[in-house]
Amino acid sequence: MATRLARGQKNSDHPLAVAARARVSTIVDAIPPEDLVLAIKRAPSLRGMILGYIAEEMFGKIVLRDPRITDVRQHDDHDRENNKVDTDFLFEGRRITIQLKSLQTNSIVWREDLNSLHGVVQNDGSDKRDVRLPNGDTVTTTNYRRGDYHILAVPLFPFTGTWDFAYKLNRNCRLTTSNKYTPEQQKYLLATTEEITHPLSDHWSTDLFATARSL
């Protein structure tokens, strides 16, 4: 008969506990690369999360190393209450803020009417927070406000197989039409999804610097 363990004081500083927590970070190194890849491919939710971080890594390596960009700052993507951007940098004397989002895999289709690939980008925060609008209203929402960031950036890899990025000004993103908000409130809140096609439609560009100059 199993003996019930007595309740005791928790000691997070015990050497064995410290070693166990430290060991967690070595799990990835302990897994053969092929097994790690298979695990990611089998779990759509994990794949989506991983691809988002990969996109951030590639954006940093490919885009942010351009000599025209200086003073790059990365931000905590878990702090959406106070921070609505992934990164910002100086370009031609102006600080540019970027929100990087990825295509939703299952949204990608061929549109016969547009003669192009078509996909949807989730363009909102992960958690609800109280947002004060310019008209004085406060709403609890995951939506971004118009103006929370300058430029929406989206990796085109699913469309092209290469690490190119498309850019769209925040002011050109769609506004919400959700009936959760009054018509007045809708004027200040972006839609939670943004559509993108390949070839790119109006308001999208692969030229980050031309987009930044049009602010």
Side-chain angles (χ1 to χ4, degrees):
M1 181 175 174
T3 303
R4 182 178 233 177
L5 294 175
R7 294 183 179 179
Q9 182 179 0
K10 296 178 181 178
N11 183 3
S12 60
D13 295 325
H14 190 284
L16 291 179
V18 172
R21 291 198 301 274
R23 201 173 293 121
V24 172
S25 64
T26 69
I27 290 175
V28 172
D29 295 325
I31 299 173
E34 60 273 18
D35 291 341
L36 183 60
V37 170
L38 286 174
I40 293 171
K41 288 182 176 180
R42 280 200 300 265
S45 58
L46 175 60
R47 184 177 64 232
M49 183 185 302
I50 294 294
L51 291 179
Y53 284 108
I54 291 174
E56 290 182 12
E57 186 72 16
M58 299 307 294
F59 187 78
K61 287 184 175 180
I62 295 172
V63 179
L64 296 180
R65 292 184 181 177
D66 189 290
R68 290 170 287 184
I69 290 175
T70 60
D71 194 24
V72 176
R73 302 188 304 191
Q74 304 289 343
H75 299 278
D76 182 2
D77 61 356
H78 296 293
D79 182 18
R80 289 309 185 205
E81 182 174 354
N82 301 305
N83 168 51
K84 310 302 183 300
V85 303
D86 291 309
T87 189
D88 64 66
F89 54 83
L90 286 177
F91 169 66
E92 296 184 347
R94 181 171 186 177
R95 187 156 293 278
I96 307 297
T97 58
I98 302 289
Q99 181 58 255
L100 181 63
K101 296 292 186 181
S102 296
L103 276 160
Q104 295 179 348
T105 304
N106 292 335
S107 74
I108 299 173
V109 296
W110 176 261
R111 287 277 298 268
E112 295 288 351
D113 55 329
L114 301 175
N115 196 36
S116 66
L117 287 166
H118 179 276
V120 172
V121 178
Q122 191 75 26
N123 186 27
D124 66 351
S126 56
D127 299 311
K128 287 186 177 181
R129 78 280 183 208
D130 289 339
V131 172
R132 188 168 179 81
L133 304 178
N135 68 346
D137 290 352
T138 297
V139 295
T140 302
T141 183
T142 63
N143 298 58
Y144 291 129
R145 287 173 299 190
R146 173 146 286 176
D148 269 342
Y149 58 86
H150 288 134
I151 298 172
L152 175 65
V154 178
L156 293 176
F157 191 93
F159 289 156
T160 66
T162 57
W163 282 106
D164 304 310
F165 291 82
Y167 306 99
K168 188 173 189 177
L169 293 175
N170 174 287
R171 67 170 182 250
N172 290 331
C173 290
R174 299 185 305 135
L175 292 173
T176 186
T177 57
S178 172
N179 58 15
K180 292 187 295 184
Y181 312 106
T182 68
E184 179 67 17
Q185 292 168 345
Q186 291 173 358
K187 296 177 183 178
Y188 307 110
L189 294 170
L190 298 185
T192 57
T193 60
E194 194 66 33
E195 297 182 349
I196 187 170
T197 62
H198 195 268
L200 297 175
S201 57
D202 291 345
H203 297 307
W204 287 99
S205 171
T206 56
D207 189 332
L208 172 61
F209 302 110
T211 303
R213 290 190 184 102
S214 66
L215 284 167

